Amino acid sequence: ENGQNSGINIDAKSLGGETALSKAALNGNLEIVHLLIQYNCNPFITDIRGFNALHIAEIHHKALGIH
């Protein structure tokens, strides 16, 4: 279930097109990333720059020197 029955849109976007998953990925919050994935959020939704949560996680981790 992705929150549809509860009235919550787990894939809702901000004005910049960011989702909760993309924000969690950007902040390196793996606990929230795992929780959102468990609730079937869509990791392929893109923001206004064309980046999805997977892109953001990769860019963020490279910037931190994590491979």
Side-chain angles (χ1 to χ4, degrees):
E1 181 177 341
N2 64 2
Q4 290 177 341
N5 291 337
S6 64
I8 297 169
N9 181 358
I10 200 165
D11 292 323
K13 290 181 165 188
S14 70
L15 292 176
E18 297 132 334
T19 63
L21 181 61
S22 63
K23 289 297 237 180
L26 176 65
N27 292 319
N29 193 331
L30 294 179
E31 184 177 344
I32 298 299
V33 168
H34 291 155
L35 182 66
L36 290 166
I37 294 294
Q38 182 179 356
Y39 280 94
N40 298 317
C41 69
N42 183 346
F44 302 107
I45 295 174
T46 57
D47 63 17
I48 61 173
R49 300 169 299 165
F51 294 126
N52 64 37
L54 302 174
H55 296 127
I56 292 167
E58 181 179 8
I59 292 165
H60 175 71
H61 288 282
K62 283 185 178 180
L64 294 176
I66 301 170
H67 301 282

